[in-house]
Amino acid sequence: MPKFPTWPDCFDEVKKMTITDLRHMGYLRPGAIARGPMRWTRSGKPSGSIGLIVSLQERFVELDYKYGDKPVNYRLQLESIPKHFGGCEWYFICPATGKRCRTLYLIGGKFLSRFAYPSAMYSAQTESKYCREMFKAFRYLDLESDFLGKRHARTTYNGKLTKRYRRILEREGRFNPNTIRRFLNR
C-alpha cells in the first residue's frame, strides 16, 4: 500500500497579518485605541475576517475570530524600537517563540511567526529544480518586459540606447537602426 502524501503548509497560501497592513489601515496611531476588522480576499471574493483592537500605549493587539466553529480571542504583544532618524519601528512578539517579527501566519488556529512552523515552506521551496529552471527560461524569453519592469531600468542614456537594452533588442531580433533613430528623436 502506498504511503499517504504529506504536503507542507505553504506560507504563500495562508492568511497573514503584517505590521505594514496595520499601519496602512490606520491602526497604529499613537495614543489611541483603534478597533476594526481585518479582511482577506482570494480572487476578489472575501475569504475571511477578524476583529482587531490595537493599543500602542499598552502595546498589544487583541485578535477576535472564529477558527472552524470555535471562537478564538487572545492578545499579541507589540514592541517598538527607535529608528535612527526619528520615530519607531513596531514588531509583533510571537507567542510561541518570543521572537520579534513583522509578519504572522495563521496555521492551525493561531497567528504565529514563521519560526514557530519549522515544517512550513514558501511555495518556491516546494517546486522541483527542473520546474524552477523552466520558469527561469520562460522569464528569459520575455526579456524586454522583464527589463522594463525593473525599477532602475534605462533604455537610453545621453540620447543613445544603453548597451543592455540594445543587446535585448538584438536578441529578440527587433533591433532596426531606422526605428531606433525615430525612437530617440521623439
Side-chain angles (χ1 to χ4, degrees):
M1 183 184 295
K3 180 184 173 218
F4 187 74
T6 56
W7 303 106
D9 292 316
C10 283
F11 290 125
D12 303 329
E13 298 170 0
V14 298
K15 292 174 177 57
K16 68 180 181 176
M17 176 172 48
T18 66
I19 290 287
T20 305
D21 292 340
L22 294 179
R23 191 180 69 235
H24 286 302
M25 291 187 291
Y27 291 146
L28 296 181
R29 289 176 290 177
I33 295 178
R35 300 168 197 260
M38 182 173 204
R39 295 184 177 96
W40 291 275
T41 59
R42 181 168 280 192
S43 302
K45 298 177 184 173
S47 67
S49 69
I50 62 173
L52 295 173
I53 299 173
V54 181
S55 173
L56 294 185
Q57 283 182 331
E58 298 177 36
R59 297 175 181 256
F60 73 84
V61 176
E62 187 172 323
L63 306 174
D64 186 29
Y65 58 95
K66 281 190 173 185
Y67 188 77
D69 292 334
K70 298 178 182 177
V72 181
N73 188 319
Y74 61 97
R75 284 186 177 188
L76 298 168
Q77 296 301 313
L78 292 174
E79 185 177 325
S80 67
I81 295 179
K83 292 182 182 178
H84 293 291
F85 299 107
C88 62
E89 195 72 38
W90 288 96
Y91 292 92
F92 296 113
I93 301 296
C94 176
T97 62
K99 292 183 177 184
R100 282 192 307 245
C101 59
R102 295 185 51 83
T103 304
L104 298 174
Y105 300 93
L106 178 65
I107 299 176
K110 282 198 133 187
F111 282 93
L112 302 174
S113 71
R114 66 186 178 103
F115 300 107
Y117 305 112
S119 63
M121 300 179 180
Y122 291 98
S123 61
Q125 293 172 305
T126 62
E127 296 171 354
S128 68
K129 185 175 180 181
Y130 175 76
C131 186
R132 287 193 306 266
E133 292 296 322
M134 288 301 293
F135 284 129
K136 192 185 292 184
F138 286 128
R139 281 194 302 265
Y140 182 76
L141 292 175
D142 192 22
L143 288 173
E144 185 181 10
S145 64
D146 186 41
F147 173 74
L148 294 176
K150 293 191 177 180
R151 185 173 179 184
H152 301 290
R154 298 205 52 172
T155 56
T156 61
Y157 179 77
N158 201 15
K160 298 178 183 176
L161 289 177
T162 61
K163 289 180 183 178
R164 184 175 179 192
Y165 187 61
R166 181 180 289 224
R167 245 181 291 140
I168 289 171
L169 292 177
E170 287 171 355
R171 215 175 284 149
E172 291 182 353
R174 293 188 0 197
F175 182 74
N176 184 349
N178 297 327
T179 57
I180 298 303
R181 280 192 208 104
R182 277 188 258 128
F183 173 74
L184 295 174
N185 293 329
R186 281 194 235 171

Short mmCIF file of all heavy atoms in Angstrom, two decimals, residues 23-53:
data_model
loop_
_atom_site.label_atom_id
_atom_site.label_comp_id
_atom_site.label_asym_id
_atom_site.label_seq_id
_atom_site.Cartn_x
_atom_site.Cartn_y
_atom_site.Cartn_z
N ARG A 23 -0.48 49.41 9.79
CA ARG A 23 -0.16 50.83 9.60
C ARG A 23 -0.99 51.42 8.46
O ARG A 23 -1.54 52.52 8.59
CB ARG A 23 1.33 51.00 9.32
CG ARG A 23 1.75 52.47 9.38
CD ARG A 23 3.21 52.67 9.10
NE ARG A 23 3.48 52.39 7.70
CZ ARG A 23 4.38 51.53 7.28
NH1 ARG A 23 5.13 50.86 8.11
NH2 ARG A 23 4.56 51.31 5.99
N HIS A 24 -1.14 50.69 7.35
CA HIS A 24 -1.91 51.20 6.21
C HIS A 24 -3.40 51.33 6.55
O HIS A 24 -4.07 52.20 6.00
CB HIS A 24 -1.74 50.30 4.99
CG HIS A 24 -0.41 50.44 4.33
ND1 HIS A 24 0.08 51.64 3.84
CD2 HIS A 24 0.56 49.53 4.07
CE1 HIS A 24 1.26 51.46 3.32
NE2 HIS A 24 1.59 50.19 3.45
N MET A 25 -3.90 50.48 7.43
CA MET A 25 -5.30 50.55 7.81
C MET A 25 -5.54 51.59 8.90
O MET A 25 -6.68 51.81 9.30
CB MET A 25 -5.79 49.17 8.27
CG MET A 25 -5.88 48.18 7.13
SD MET A 25 -6.62 46.61 7.58
CE MET A 25 -5.41 45.92 8.65
N GLY A 26 -4.50 52.24 9.39
CA GLY A 26 -4.64 53.30 10.37
C GLY A 26 -4.76 52.83 11.81
O GLY A 26 -5.19 53.58 12.68
N TYR A 27 -4.38 51.58 12.08
CA TYR A 27 -4.49 51.04 13.44
C TYR A 27 -3.31 51.41 14.33
O TYR A 27 -3.39 51.28 15.54
CB TYR A 27 -4.63 49.52 13.41
CG TYR A 27 -5.95 49.04 12.84
CD1 TYR A 27 -6.01 47.86 12.11
CD2 TYR A 27 -7.12 49.73 13.03
CE1 TYR A 27 -7.21 47.40 11.60
CE2 TYR A 27 -8.32 49.30 12.52
CZ TYR A 27 -8.35 48.13 11.80
OH TYR A 27 -9.53 47.68 11.29
N LEU A 28 -2.21 51.86 13.76
CA LEU A 28 -1.03 52.18 14.56
C LEU A 28 -0.93 53.69 14.79
O LEU A 28 0.06 54.33 14.47
CB LEU A 28 0.24 51.65 13.88
CG LEU A 28 0.34 50.15 13.75
CD1 LEU A 28 1.63 49.75 13.08
CD2 LEU A 28 0.23 49.47 15.10
N ARG A 29 -1.98 54.25 15.38
CA ARG A 29 -1.98 55.67 15.72
C ARG A 29 -1.54 55.83 17.17
O ARG A 29 -2.10 55.19 18.06
CB ARG A 29 -3.37 56.27 15.53
CG ARG A 29 -3.76 56.38 14.07
CD ARG A 29 -5.15 56.87 13.94
NE ARG A 29 -6.02 55.78 14.42
CZ ARG A 29 -7.32 55.85 14.52
NH1 ARG A 29 -7.94 56.95 14.22
NH2 ARG A 29 -8.02 54.82 14.93
N PRO A 30 -0.57 56.69 17.43
CA PRO A 30 -0.09 56.85 18.81
C PRO A 30 -1.16 57.41 19.73
O PRO A 30 -1.90 58.32 19.38
CB PRO A 30 1.07 57.83 18.69
CG PRO A 30 1.27 58.10 17.26
CD PRO A 30 0.16 57.49 16.49
N GLY A 31 -1.24 56.85 20.92
CA GLY A 31 -2.13 57.36 21.96
C GLY A 31 -3.59 56.99 21.82
O GLY A 31 -4.39 57.35 22.67
N ALA A 32 -3.99 56.29 20.78
CA ALA A 32 -5.40 55.95 20.58
C ALA A 32 -5.58 54.44 20.59
O ALA A 32 -4.66 53.68 20.30
CB ALA A 32 -5.89 56.51 19.25
N ILE A 33 -6.77 54.02 20.96
CA ILE A 33 -7.12 52.61 20.86
C ILE A 33 -7.94 52.45 19.58
O ILE A 33 -9.01 53.03 19.44
CB ILE A 33 -7.93 52.13 22.09
CG1 ILE A 33 -7.05 52.22 23.33
CG2 ILE A 33 -8.43 50.72 21.87
CD1 ILE A 33 -7.75 51.82 24.61
N ALA A 34 -7.40 51.70 18.65
CA ALA A 34 -8.05 51.51 17.35
C ALA A 34 -8.77 50.17 17.34
O ALA A 34 -8.24 49.16 17.79
CB ALA A 34 -7.02 51.58 16.24
N ARG A 35 -9.99 50.17 16.84
CA ARG A 35 -10.79 48.96 16.71
C ARG A 35 -11.29 48.84 15.28
O ARG A 35 -11.60 49.84 14.66
CB ARG A 35 -12.01 49.01 17.63
CG ARG A 35 -11.70 49.15 19.07
CD ARG A 35 -12.97 49.49 19.86
NE ARG A 35 -12.62 50.01 21.15
CZ ARG A 35 -12.64 49.30 22.26
NH1 ARG A 35 -13.02 48.06 22.24
NH2 ARG A 35 -12.31 49.86 23.40
N GLY A 36 -11.39 47.63 14.82
CA GLY A 36 -11.92 47.43 13.48
C GLY A 36 -11.60 46.06 12.95
O GLY A 36 -10.95 45.25 13.61
N PRO A 37 -12.04 45.78 11.74
CA PRO A 37 -11.80 44.46 11.14
C PRO A 37 -10.55 44.44 10.27
O PRO A 37 -10.05 45.46 9.84
CB PRO A 37 -13.04 44.26 10.28
CG PRO A 37 -13.37 45.64 9.82
CD PRO A 37 -13.01 46.55 10.97
N MET A 38 -10.08 43.24 10.05
CA MET A 38 -9.04 42.98 9.05
C MET A 38 -9.62 41.90 8.15
O MET A 38 -10.04 40.85 8.64
CB MET A 38 -7.75 42.52 9.70
CG MET A 38 -6.64 42.30 8.73
SD MET A 38 -5.12 41.97 9.61
CE MET A 38 -3.96 42.45 8.39
N ARG A 39 -9.66 42.18 6.84
CA ARG A 39 -10.31 41.26 5.90
C ARG A 39 -9.31 40.75 4.87
O ARG A 39 -8.39 41.46 4.48
CB ARG A 39 -11.45 41.98 5.19
CG ARG A 39 -12.56 42.38 6.12
CD ARG A 39 -13.72 43.01 5.35
NE ARG A 39 -14.81 43.31 6.24
CZ ARG A 39 -15.01 44.50 6.78
NH1 ARG A 39 -14.19 45.49 6.52
NH2 ARG A 39 -16.02 44.70 7.60
N TRP A 40 -9.54 39.52 4.42
CA TRP A 40 -8.74 38.91 3.37
C TRP A 40 -9.65 38.54 2.22
O TRP A 40 -10.82 38.19 2.42
CB TRP A 40 -8.05 37.64 3.88
CG TRP A 40 -6.99 37.90 4.87
CD1 TRP A 40 -5.68 38.22 4.63
CD2 TRP A 40 -7.12 37.87 6.29
NE1 TRP A 40 -5.01 38.39 5.81
CE2 TRP A 40 -5.88 38.18 6.84
CE3 TRP A 40 -8.19 37.64 7.16
CZ2 TRP A 40 -5.65 38.25 8.21
CZ3 TRP A 40 -7.98 37.70 8.51
CH2 TRP A 40 -6.72 38.00 9.02
N THR A 41 -9.09 38.59 1.02
CA THR A 41 -9.83 38.16 -0.17
C THR A 41 -8.96 37.20 -0.96
O THR A 41 -7.73 37.22 -0.86
CB THR A 41 -10.20 39.36 -1.07
OG1 THR A 41 -9.00 40.01 -1.47
CG2 THR A 41 -11.12 40.33 -0.37
N ARG A 42 -9.61 36.38 -1.74
CA ARG A 42 -8.92 35.48 -2.66
C ARG A 42 -9.68 35.52 -3.98
O ARG A 42 -10.87 35.24 -4.00
CB ARG A 42 -8.87 34.07 -2.11
CG ARG A 42 -8.14 33.12 -3.06
CD ARG A 42 -7.83 31.84 -2.43
NE ARG A 42 -6.63 32.06 -1.61
CZ ARG A 42 -5.94 31.07 -1.08
NH1 ARG A 42 -6.33 29.84 -1.25
NH2 ARG A 42 -4.87 31.32 -0.37
N SER A 43 -9.03 35.93 -5.03
CA SER A 43 -9.63 36.09 -6.36
C SER A 43 -10.82 37.06 -6.32
O SER A 43 -11.82 36.85 -6.97
CB SER A 43 -10.10 34.74 -6.91
OG SER A 43 -9.02 33.84 -6.99
N GLY A 44 -10.70 38.10 -5.50
CA GLY A 44 -11.74 39.12 -5.42
C GLY A 44 -12.91 38.76 -4.53
O GLY A 44 -13.81 39.57 -4.34
N LYS A 45 -12.92 37.57 -3.97
CA LYS A 45 -14.02 37.15 -3.10
C LYS A 45 -13.52 37.13 -1.65
O LYS A 45 -12.39 36.75 -1.38
CB LYS A 45 -14.50 35.75 -3.49
CG LYS A 45 -15.05 35.69 -4.89
CD LYS A 45 -15.44 34.28 -5.26
CE LYS A 45 -15.91 34.23 -6.70
NZ LYS A 45 -16.14 32.88 -7.16
N PRO A 46 -14.37 37.55 -0.70
CA PRO A 46 -13.95 37.53 0.71
C PRO A 46 -13.62 36.12 1.17
O PRO A 46 -14.34 35.17 0.89
CB PRO A 46 -15.16 38.07 1.47
CG PRO A 46 -16.11 38.57 0.46
CD PRO A 46 -15.72 38.05 -0.88
N SER A 47 -12.48 35.97 1.86
CA SER A 47 -12.09 34.65 2.34
C SER A 47 -11.97 34.59 3.86
O SER A 47 -11.72 33.53 4.41
CB SER A 47 -10.77 34.22 1.70
OG SER A 47 -9.72 35.04 2.14
N GLY A 48 -12.11 35.72 4.54
CA GLY A 48 -12.06 35.70 5.98
C GLY A 48 -11.90 37.08 6.56
O GLY A 48 -11.53 38.03 5.88
N SER A 49 -12.21 37.21 7.85
CA SER A 49 -12.01 38.47 8.54
C SER A 49 -11.85 38.19 10.04
O SER A 49 -12.31 37.17 10.54
CB SER A 49 -13.18 39.42 8.30
OG SER A 49 -14.34 38.95 8.94
N ILE A 50 -11.19 39.12 10.71
CA ILE A 50 -11.04 39.04 12.15
C ILE A 50 -11.26 40.42 12.73
O ILE A 50 -11.17 41.43 12.02
CB ILE A 50 -9.64 38.52 12.57
CG1 ILE A 50 -8.54 39.47 12.09
CG2 ILE A 50 -9.39 37.13 12.07
CD1 ILE A 50 -7.17 39.13 12.61
N GLY A 51 -11.59 40.48 14.02
CA GLY A 51 -11.73 41.75 14.71
C GLY A 51 -10.43 42.08 15.43
O GLY A 51 -9.79 41.21 16.01
N LEU A 52 -10.04 43.36 15.38
CA LEU A 52 -8.79 43.80 15.99
C LEU A 52 -9.04 44.93 16.97
O LEU A 52 -9.89 45.79 16.74
CB LEU A 52 -7.82 44.32 14.94
CG LEU A 52 -7.27 43.39 13.89
CD1 LEU A 52 -6.47 44.17 12.87
CD2 LEU A 52 -6.41 42.34 14.53
N ILE A 53 -8.30 44.93 18.05
CA ILE A 53 -8.19 46.07 18.95
C ILE A 53 -6.70 46.32 19.12
O ILE A 53 -5.97 45.42 19.55
CB ILE A 53 -8.87 45.81 20.31
CG1 ILE A 53 -10.35 45.51 20.12
CG2 ILE A 53 -8.65 46.99 21.24
CD1 ILE A 53 -11.04 45.08 21.39
#
